[in-house]
Amino acid sequence: MKKIKKDSFIVILIGFLVIFFLQTPILHALEFDLTAAQNTVGKRFASKFCEAKEKGFSTESSSEFALNNTYLKFVAFPEDERFIENLWEFTIGIIQKDCGQYLTDDEKTFLRDFFKEEGEIASNRDLYLPY
């Protein structure tokens, strides 16, 4: 009886250790993916968006211009709402710093919705690609 309890305890302990060690790399991978996305997608999207706004384009046209001149149309994001939200916060921070004077609150809302929609598409890229 004592041997069974000891064996069960060891199996459960090993199970927890395996789960712990497997989850740590997954979290690091998501952080790495976010940093890479910020550098390749967020900065470029903000740059192209501001470029278009400074030329006098509407927010809608500037969003489309930025989308067409970034990797956002081609990347696949993890299926994680926080990932897209963190990428959005990073991107809007750059936009506000570089060309925030060209945006009204309504335009920021439109831009956020546009970015989130494109982010959801990037998170479900396999649903939008033909086979």
Side-chain angles (χ1 to χ4, degrees):
M1 182 80 153
K2 220 176 194 183
K3 173 92 170 140
I4 293 172
K5 287 183 181 182
K6 184 178 178 184
D7 289 343
S8 297
F9 176 74
I10 290 173
V11 169
I12 292 171
L13 183 63
I14 290 172
F16 281 124
L17 290 173
V18 168
I19 291 170
F20 173 76
F21 285 115
L22 288 178
Q23 285 200 357
T24 302
I26 292 169
L27 293 175
H28 288 298
L30 282 177
E31 287 176 21
F32 177 73
D33 288 346
L34 178 59
T35 301
Q38 288 173 338
N39 289 326
T40 58
V41 176
K43 286 181 180 178
R44 180 117 173 120
F45 186 91
S47 171
K48 292 300 177 181
F49 178 83
C50 288
E51 180 183 322
K53 283 301 280 181
E54 289 167 356
K55 290 180 181 178
F57 288 96
S58 70
T59 298
E60 187 174 338
S61 296
S62 297
S63 300
E64 289 295 331
F65 178 76
L67 177 65
N68 289 327
N69 286 283
T70 63
Y71 302 109
L72 186 57
K73 287 176 70 169
F74 306 106
V75 296
F77 290 156
E79 290 184 41
D80 183 1
E81 262 184 55
R82 288 180 303 157
F83 181 90
I84 296 169
E85 185 63 30
N86 288 336
L87 181 59
W88 164 249
E89 292 297 327
F90 175 84
T91 305
I92 193 63
I94 294 173
I95 290 171
Q96 287 177 321
K97 186 180 113 204
D98 293 349
C99 63
Q101 70 272 20
Y102 298 112
L103 289 176
T104 66
D105 288 338
D106 288 340
E107 290 173 320
K108 286 179 190 173
T109 301
F110 169 82
L111 182 58
R112 177 189 179 100
D113 293 344
F114 175 86
F115 193 90
K116 286 187 81 167
E117 181 179 323
E118 292 301 324
E120 287 175 20
I121 291 170
S123 294
N124 297 295
R125 185 69 63 205
D126 57 330
L127 297 177
Y128 294 92
L129 295 175
Y131 290 100

